[in-house]
Amino acid sequence: MKKLLQCLAASVALLTMGAYAAGSTEVVYHIDDAESQGIKGLRNIRNHLDVSPQTKIIVVTHANGVDIMMDGAKDKKNGIEYAPLVGALKSRGVRFEVCEITLKNRNLKKDQFILDTDFTPSGVVRVADLQYQNHFAYIKP
């Protein structure tokens, strides 16, 4: 009987692992500084999707990270505009969220952001919820 239970437990474990592996990966990219993470993060996401196109990706921005979502914003080092890169990723299913607490603290308005922007009440809470409740992998470029 003991051996039968061990075999049953092993079978359930293997089935569970197989079902988990069959699902697509879900990832939250956390960007809180456009200057150091903007271009690098957007390229990481592009590369991620090139290798694993079925991955569900949500980018959560807060603090100075929201700058990548602002209309007309460019990378300070090389002058690359963020909007076309964001738009290309959005067309591949990536969701971009901006923290509304940051908007309030920086006196920003929603109409200052590109059309591909979604908003979340708190960027930090959103990242935590995606990790803990939804089991998203966490990446901070």
Side-chain angles (χ1 to χ4, degrees):
M1 184 67 158
K2 185 177 179 182
K3 248 187 177 176
L4 178 63
L5 289 175
Q6 288 174 334
C7 286
L8 185 59
S11 296
V12 169
L14 287 173
L15 287 172
T16 303
M17 286 175 26
Y20 181 74
S24 65
T25 304
E26 298 176 319
V27 181
V28 57
Y29 277 78
H30 176 197
I31 297 179
D32 63 2
D33 182 42
E35 192 170 336
S36 66
Q37 297 172 280
I39 294 296
K40 175 175 64 171
L42 296 172
R43 286 182 178 152
N44 286 169
I45 296 163
R46 181 199 62 211
N47 293 341
H48 193 143
L49 290 172
D50 286 348
V51 173
S52 183
Q54 75 285 358
T55 304
K56 178 180 180 179
I57 297 177
I58 298 176
V59 180
V60 179
T61 66
H62 68 97
N64 293 332
V66 305
D67 294 357
I68 69 166
M69 300 304 295
M70 295 189 75
D71 193 26
K74 294 180 180 182
D75 180 72
K76 290 180 182 178
K77 292 178 190 169
N78 53 32
I80 295 173
E81 191 173 343
Y82 295 117
L85 302 174
V86 170
L89 293 172
K90 183 81 173 183
S91 72
R92 295 177 76 181
V94 178
R95 181 177 172 95
F96 289 86
E97 299 182 5
V98 168
C99 171
E100 291 177 341
I101 292 173
T102 297
L103 269 62
K104 181 181 173 192
N105 290 342
R106 291 182 54 190
N107 294 315
L108 299 171
K109 304 289 182 229
K110 289 183 178 180
D111 64 3
Q112 292 177 268
F113 292 86
I114 60 177
L115 294 177
D116 294 321
T117 305
D118 292 302
F119 296 91
T120 187
S122 168
V124 172
V125 170
R126 181 70 166 140
V127 168
D129 287 349
L130 286 169
Q131 285 184 271
Y132 184 76
Q133 294 175 1
N134 303 98
H135 308 291
F136 273 58
Y138 173 84
I139 297 177
K140 185 168 185 177

